[in-house]
Amino acid sequence: QTPDYILSDDGSVNTVYWKNIAIMTYKTDKNIAVYFKINNITFLMCNSGTDCLAIPQQWLKADFLITDGQLKNTDSLSVKYIIISDSYDNLSNDISQLSTVCKHIYATGDSGHLALRLYNDKKLSVRRENEWLS
């Protein structure tokens, strides 16, 4: 049975399982993080301002980090790809901070949505609207 909510304010990790997807959430008054796994590919989503040292440490090694802006203590991250969902005006600050952690950064920058196509063999493709990037 799926709970009515998956975020609670007490800093505990809540987990929801659905078919081949596991979703874990962590929330305090200043930090929100969602970690999920699909086809053995892991994703960490954090809101702007989240302190990476405050969330579960094993989440910091996700395949993908998805964020809407700057995070705190990003030097503790060890991710393969970063997706930034932010306006073009803010991207230079976001990218300069995160480029020391990862060299594969994709950003929306007010240019439409990014879509990920996941395959069973842990391969994926990234596209912006109708244009495949990899």
Side-chain angles (χ1 to χ4, degrees), residues 120-132:
N120 287 331
D121 56 359
K122 206 169 179 176
K123 288 185 180 178
L124 75 133
S125 295
V126 180
R127 71 175 176 93
R128 180 186 310 282
E129 302 297 332
N130 295 321
E131 178 183 343
W132 288 98

Side-chain angles (χ1 to χ4, degrees), residues 70-84:
Q70 294 189 14
L71 306 175
K72 297 176 184 173
N73 295 306
T74 56
D75 55 331
S76 59
L77 288 167
S78 178
V79 296
K80 296 177 185 173
Y81 301 93
I82 296 175
I83 297 175
I84 302 172

Side-chain angles (χ1 to χ4, degrees), residues 67-130:
T67 184
D68 63 348
Q70 294 189 14
L71 306 175
K72 297 176 184 173
N73 295 306
T74 56
D75 55 331
S76 59
L77 288 167
S78 178
V79 296
K80 296 177 185 173
Y81 301 93
I82 296 175
I83 297 175
I84 302 172
S85 177
D86 205 349
S87 69
Y88 183 76
D89 296 337
N90 294 329
L91 281 180
S92 61
N93 292 332
D94 299 337
I95 290 174
S96 64
Q97 178 205 27
L98 293 169
S99 65
T100 61
V101 176
C102 178
K103 62 180 178 177
H104 302 289
I105 299 177
Y106 299 99
T108 56
D110 295 331
S111 297
H113 302 284
L114 295 179
L116 303 176
R117 181 181 290 170
L118 305 175
Y119 301 95
N120 287 331
D121 56 359
K122 206 169 179 176
K123 288 185 180 178
L124 75 133
S125 295
V126 180
R127 71 175 176 93
R128 180 186 310 282
E129 302 297 332
N130 295 321

